[in-house]
Amino acid sequence: MGDEKILLSHGSGGKMMHDLISGMIKQYFSNPILDKLNDFAEVEGAGKIAISTDSFVVKPYKFPGGDIGKLAVCGTVNDVAVSGAEVLYLTLGFIIEEGFSMKDFNDICRSIKRTADEAGVIIITGDTKVVEKGAADGIYINTTGIGIKRKYYNIGAEFVRPGDKVIVTGMIGEHGIAILNSREGLSFNTNLVSDCAPLNGMIKELLEACSTVKCMRDPTRGGVATTLNEIARQSSVKINIFEENIPINPAVQGVCDLLGFDPLYVANEGKLLIFLSADEEQKAIEVLRRNKYGKDSAVIGKVIEGSPRVNIRTILGSHRIVDELVTEQLPRIC
Amino acid sequence: MGDEKILLSHGSGGKMMHDLISGMIKQYFSNPILDKLNDFAEVEGAGKIAISTDSFVVKPYKFPGGDIGKLAVCGTVNDVAVSGAEVLYLTLGFIIEEGFSMKDFNDICRSIKRTADEAGVIIITGDTKVVEKGAADGIYINTTGIGIKRKYYNIGAEFVRPGDKVIVTGMIGEHGIAILNSREGLSFNTNLVSDCAPLNGMIKELLEACSTVKCMRDPTRGGVATTLNEIARQSSVKINIFEENIPINPAVQGVCDLLGFDPLYVANEGKLLIFLSADEEQKAIEVLRRNKYGKDSAVIGKVIEGSPRVNIRTILGSHRIVDELVTEQLPRIC
């Protein structure tokens, strides 16, 4: 280890973060609950509780379509909801830089409140720390979400099987490109907004309609590509996706083409990847499209036997491996 | 609000933080669970779950007697344990500055592991964010703790009654002064170490021996004075304390005298204030003193009828009001 430094890539959601977690984090903290490496933890209380924690450091803290407050609610609500739990409670920890605008803090709190109301969750405890000017960049927020699992016990990244279909609930990459676009000196002239949204309502509708949902995950840091790789590894399956089926906003595609980004690696904050049995694919698409957050849902791939990896068939008909994100493409998008 | 800025004092644990919380935080997030403003939240799952969250920004992140990792475990474990719950689980969120030493990160993880083992808790989920150089000061950690309440339901800052006694479980002010002493340019020649410790074991021993414990709280930010004021307000009682009974290390007293600090306002990270019936005070002291973290426990005051405030009878026999901390005395001690 010696003089090794933490790099931005260690927080990117990609391979370096995976290595850091597999190495140091698992070395120290390994236990059957944590080792599942889902974004949520489930503990046996009296009953089954699902828990997820996330720190938000997005830059800038206000962006088209949301702010760090909305993001901090959506990100954690979604992480708990994909477990199949009913999300009920959030904790809220602020780290604020001295000199931060009180008005902006108020706006962020209002945004948290509005989003929590929409998601039907309440903030049950919190903490505020203030650090000197220069010791943080405005404001960071940690949220921990707690949900109760009353049913839907067999949902998780280890339950995906060959034959399952892969659904994405809308156009990919909007959050990452909206953040990029709102950074100084990078303003493309688009109306692009972040897709940041609480998805627990849509998840509930899906689970009530479909009984074969194996796994749901929100493709945030590292994007669709990284999340699919995680699931392929955790379920030991191969995933084939079809580029022509992947919904994408032309503005996102345009910015990606200009800057050399692959939209498969760009973060989403209001989308789900859903794995379920082929016989329920049509019903799922119908249910999802009725929800405003799922209107562009599409089946983008299928699961087959094979060594854990992700393949894409491009629009031109060629095939290539979609690897995990290795280094940071866009730092601080959540 | 206009151009108002967040000040360091807004995170001090004192009056300005109280105002910020009573104002903006409660304005937005008010609900019966949060409004109790205990350091922990209790939610009805199936069974009763206690939850607490805290972000740690201590500077420096290594100090005599501990580091930010040990502190992040102890602080949250203690906040959950004072509810009477058995602390079982922690979540762990890192915000790390790019360029942070991997060796130091490893040391911090090891310290978290060691402390979690001592406390008998496991890390069940986590999150790592890395921000650019200059966007944080080394490393910040959020922990959320989850405990199960099997009994001891009537413990909280609202249950204190006239006639109750006040116990402190050891010498006060050691954490704050140890931190101060380890900052650049302020090295006094003492062997002072932080009292940072997980107290859930000692709390369990106390609760098994004594049935009249009304309230326990760890006097961290804002120290004994601020915590007593919070409890006086929440239970609508007057609290009298006696300076001659308050245990204090002469080195802490010396540094405070030199710098003009009042040790009643200096943070502790391994001490409890305990309120219980007078008839169990001796038994409690005996039980606490048998534990290594409680060997200097002492009865320091009593609760009487009256408007909510804290009075001290000084060693010289005079009386004065002990007010809440108003502005930041020592920033970033936890």
Side-chain angles (χ1 to χ4, degrees), chain B residues 219-235:
Chain B
T220 56
R221 278 184 290 180
V224 166
T226 301
T227 301
L228 290 176
N229 270 284
E230 287 168 5
I231 294 168
R233 190 169 55 231
Q234 288 180 258
S235 278

Side-chain angles (χ1 to χ4, degrees), chain B residues 156-162 164 214-215 229-239 275 303 306 308:
Chain B
E158 69 272 34
F159 294 112
V160 173
R161 294 291 171 270
D164 290 344
K214 312 294 182 66
C215 173
N229 270 284
E230 287 168 5
I231 294 168
R233 190 169 55 231
Q234 288 180 258
S235 278
S236 294
V237 294
K238 190 167 169 181
I239 300 172
F275 291 76
V303 179

Side-chain angles (χ1 to χ4, degrees), chain A residues 72-89:
Chain A
V73 174
C74 295
T76 294
V77 161
N78 295 346
D79 278 348
V80 177
V82 296
S83 76
E86 184 183 352
V87 196
L88 297 171
Y89 308 112

Side-chain angles (χ1 to χ4, degrees), chain A residues 58 61 66-74 108-109 111-112 115 141 143:
Chain A
V58 63
Y61 57 84
D67 61 21
I68 191 171
K70 180 179 182 185
L71 191 60
V73 174
C74 295
I108 289 166
C109 285
S111 169
I112 291 172
T115 315
I141 300 179
T143 47

Side-chain angles (χ1 to χ4, degrees), chain A residues 6 31 46 55 99 132 135 140 332, chain B residues 6 46 99 123 132 135 140 332:
Chain A
I6 294 279
N31 66 59
S55 297
E132 322 86 277
Y140 300 147
R332 290 182 58 191
Chain B
I6 295 279
I123 314 298
E132 321 87 277
Y140 301 147
R332 290 182 60 189

Side-chain angles (χ1 to χ4, degrees), chain B residues 167-174 195 199 202 219 224 245-249 268 270-274 285 288-289 291-300:
Chain B
I167 291 173
V168 69
T169 60
M171 297 194 275
I172 70 168
E174 291 175 347
D195 59 342
L199 301 175
M202 185 168 75
V224 166
N245 295 0
I246 299 172
I248 185 162
N249 180 326
N268 310 272
K271 298 298 177 324
L272 293 172
L273 289 167
I274 298 167
I285 290 289
L288 293 167
R289 286 188 183 162
N291 188 294
K292 67 178 169 179
Y293 297 131
K295 61 184 168 48
D296 298 310
S297 292
V299 177
I300 62 163

Side-chain angles (χ1 to χ4, degrees), chain B residues 24-37:
Chain B
M24 202 173 306
I25 306 277
K26 280 190 76 172
Q27 172 193 345
Y28 289 116
F29 309 126
S30 176
N31 67 57
I33 300 172
L34 184 72
D35 292 352
K36 288 191 177 168
L37 292 183

